[in-house]
Amino acid sequence: MSSRQTRPTGHPHHPRQVPRRVHLAAQLPGIHNVTVWSDPRSESQIAIDSFIRLAQTVERGKFDFFFLAEGLRLREHRGRIYDLDIAGRPENLTVLGALAAVTTRLGLAATVNATFNEPYEVARRFATLDRLSGGRAAWNVVTSYDAFTGENFRRGGFLPEADRYTRAAEFLSVARTLWDSWSDGDLRADAAAGEFVRAGAGRFAHHGRHFDIAGRFTTPPGPQGHPVIIQSGESDAGREFAASDADVVFSKHNRLDAARAFYRDVKRRLARYGRAPDDLKILPTANAVVADTDEEAAAYAEEISRDLVSPQTAIAHLEAVWGRDLSGHDPDGPLPDIEPEADAHVLKGHSVFRGGRAETARQWRKLAEERGLSIRELMIEVGGRPTFVGSPRTVADAIDHFVRTEGADGFVLVPHLTPGGLDDVVDRVVPLLQEKGVFREDYTGTTLRDHLGLSADAPRRSANDKKESLG
């Protein structure tokens, strides 16, 4: 035998790399400056045909789910409707109910606010969507603290910001109580016995700080039992809420170093709730620009970035942080040499610029000085650049690397054009991910929990039991 020895596969110095599965979802842009609605190729942002085309495209690409975000009030800029972004989108669950009829496997996810709704009605609507879609519903649980949005509900921002996650946790706990009020076999429809439902079906009671209700829940749950729960908070309380009760976390971190830090922080919190790392999927929002070559994609990405951040948009976003009228400043000039007004709100209802404005301004000024950026160039740099840019192979490799190195479990891809903005990803990038063995060739289950690799028993825990952790 030769003195040279070949190390067997799986030796500690050369661990076998098991491919990590990539999860992909799609979001139809409806808030913020993430779609170039003025592009001649862009079609209606509110017609059902646009929703159907994008949903059917990503189902053809075997995506996990299709997501609709939502805002509860039209944003205002200096007292007028802020119409640089999309405004006037239809209500989410109504749209998803229509999409359930024209898709067969694609998950259907919607934002519904836990501050300005009631648990009974939200639980019923999601149970209905889950049942009608065959187990494909997901709820992005969000909160709101501001009086501006509250005016639409005659609540005037009654809920202190410190309480919004405790209310959301109890809200979710109540919703789960309602979903669990029906047991397997309660819906009998037994003609011979003359019994349609069992006597105890739908009976519930909850007595808590925010909600005190009891009665009968009208709607048997869908095939998932509980819809998939999504959360998107960045604060410490939000991360804790996600670790205790969410199945999916939307993250804003789509740059690798920051994404890895967020990923590690949220995943490490799971153990204290008896959960494994794979019980929670972390999906940053991302954009992809695909062309035949890397050079062509880079040029196209630059064009898209400038379309997404127009001169007017650049000034409006700067005003949102500075809290001042900066209309006299040149968007191609330097940042203003004045400091922000901490409590002034020029752009209302735009949550991206809500908190930490003084620190945001400090970071922006530092970046602009280091790189010699104008106002518009800075706004493009901090919020207007696509995440993945290149040839199909370059983009596929980048997505795979991001997931393989634990920056994410996958991505929610946001197209820059409606409804055809993900055609190249589905037709040219997905086949390469399948070739790598990191993305499904076809759906292997029927429910969204199947697609995400989540146990049907995973959601059955009480958020109310954990609310002290969310303080």
Side-chain angles (χ1 to χ4, degrees):
M1 178 182 292
S2 167
S3 60
R4 294 182 61 191
Q5 296 183 354
T6 302
R7 288 191 177 114
T9 301
H11 188 281
H13 294 291
H14 293 278
R16 184 174 214 165
Q17 291 292 322
V18 178
R20 296 189 71 230
R21 289 283 176 172
V22 172
H23 292 275
L24 293 179
Q27 175 184 348
L28 182 64
I31 56 175
H32 310 318
N33 61 312
V34 291
T35 184
V36 188
W37 57 264
S38 58
D39 189 296
R41 295 167 295 175
S42 182
E43 299 177 19
S44 173
Q45 306 292 323
I46 62 174
I48 188 61
D49 288 349
S50 293
F51 294 97
I52 290 173
R53 180 180 163 189
L54 182 57
Q56 291 182 336
T57 296
V58 298
E59 184 172 58
R60 176 165 54 82
K62 314 306 176 186
F63 279 38
D64 288 358
F65 62 89
F66 175 85
F67 168 63
L68 295 177
E70 185 168 66
L72 292 179
R73 178 163 179 172
L74 290 177
R75 287 156 293 184
E76 293 182 6
H77 182 222
R78 299 195 216 126
R80 300 180 63 184
I81 291 176
Y82 180 73
D83 59 357
L84 295 174
D85 299 354
I86 300 302
R89 271 275 295 275
E91 188 273 329
N92 286 344
L93 287 177
T94 304
V95 174
L96 294 185
L99 294 182
V102 294
T103 56
T104 59
R105 290 290 183 268
L106 184 68
L108 303 168
T111 293
V112 175
N113 193 291
T115 303
F116 299 116
N117 283 290
E118 296 298 322
Y120 187 95
E121 61 187 12
V122 171
R124 187 182 187 209
R125 291 163 70 199
F126 273 105
T128 299
L129 178 62
D130 201 56
R131 177 161 285 276
L132 294 181
S133 67
R136 297 185 281 139
W139 172 20
N140 180 35
V141 184
V142 302
T143 63
S144 180
Y145 77 98
D146 64 305
F148 178 74
T149 299
E151 289 172 358
N152 274 356
F153 298 88
R154 296 184 179 274
R155 293 184 178 177
F158 79 100
L159 187 68
E161 186 169 6
D163 291 340
R164 60 193 180 120
Y165 280 112
T166 59
R167 177 186 165 94
E170 188 178 340
F171 193 115
L172 181 55
S173 178
V174 178
R176 285 177 168 153
T177 296
L178 294 168
W179 293 325
D180 287 341
S181 67
W182 285 76
S183 300
D184 293 340
D186 277 352
L187 187 62
R188 293 177 60 81
D190 186 340
E195 183 182 27
F196 195 83
V197 297
R198 287 179 177 165
R203 191 179 297 281
F204 71 90
H206 175 91
H207 307 290
R209 174 185 171 190
H210 295 280
F211 308 103
D212 188 353
I213 58 175
R216 295 265 194 168
F217 188 54
T218 61
T219 310
Q224 295 187 113
H226 295 186
V228 168
I229 299 300
I230 304 171
Q231 205 274 335
S232 54
E234 286 288 328
S235 67
D236 187 72
R239 296 181 188 204
E240 205 67 25
F241 183 29
S244 65
D245 282 289
D247 301 303
V248 174
V249 174
F250 288 159
S251 165
K252 68 179 182 180
H253 300 294
N254 54 25
R255 298 297 184 254
L256 193 51
D257 288 347
R260 284 173 177 163
F262 179 84
Y263 189 93
R264 288 192 299 268
D265 178 67
V266 174
K267 294 277 187 172
R268 72 173 174 79
R269 298 171 188 247
L270 292 166
R272 75 184 70 174
Y273 301 104
R275 307 182 69 193
D278 281 345
D279 289 342
L280 179 69
K281 308 302 181 187
I282 297 178
L283 306 179
T285 54
N287 314 81
V289 177
V290 182
D292 290 340
T293 68
D294 290 350
E295 293 74 20
E296 289 174 348
Y300 186 28
E302 186 64 30
E303 177 185 332
I304 292 169
S305 295
R306 296 188 69 79
D307 285 340
L308 291 175
V309 184
S310 67
Q312 299 94 326
T313 297
I315 293 297
H317 286 186
L318 196 70
E319 289 179 337
V321 172
W322 256 252
R324 298 172 179 268
D325 181 349
L326 302 175
S327 56
H329 285 71
D330 181 0
D332 294 319
L335 267 64
D337 57 5
I338 53 177
E339 293 303 312
E341 291 189 24
D343 297 324
H345 297 278
V346 175
L347 181 56
K348 294 182 178 180
H350 211 309
S351 61
V352 172
F353 306 108
R354 177 180 61 77
R357 289 161 52 195
E359 176 60 19
T360 297
R362 187 193 67 79
Q363 293 176 359
W364 284 4
R365 196 183 296 282
K366 181 174 182 290
L367 179 61
E369 289 174 353
E370 288 176 348
R371 299 181 54 179
L373 302 177
S374 68
I375 292 172
R376 188 180 183 192
E377 289 169 339
L378 176 66
M379 295 301 103
I380 289 173
E381 192 62 33
V382 300
R385 291 204 178 279
T387 316
F388 300 111
V389 178
S391 68
R393 177 65 65 183
T394 295
V395 171
D397 288 346
I399 290 173
D400 179 34
H401 177 74
F402 206 111
V403 172
R404 183 162 37 84
T405 58
E406 298 188 338
D409 294 306
F411 295 92
V412 180
L413 296 179
V414 185
H416 63 279
L417 289 177
T418 301
L422 291 180
D423 290 357
D424 282 338
V425 172
V426 167
D427 294 332
R428 307 180 70 185
V429 176
V430 164
L432 297 178
L433 293 172
Q434 293 169 331
E435 179 184 286
K436 286 171 169 283
V438 299
F439 193 73
R440 66 172 65 89
E441 295 282 346
D442 201 353
Y443 293 111
T444 57
T446 59
T447 72
L448 179 52
R449 289 192 178 279
D450 292 334
H451 306 342
L452 292 166
L454 299 172
S455 166
D457 296 328
R460 298 179 183 272
R461 57 180 65 87
S462 170
N464 200 39
D465 293 341
K466 308 176 188 74
K467 62 184 179 182
E468 292 183 3
S469 302
L470 307 174

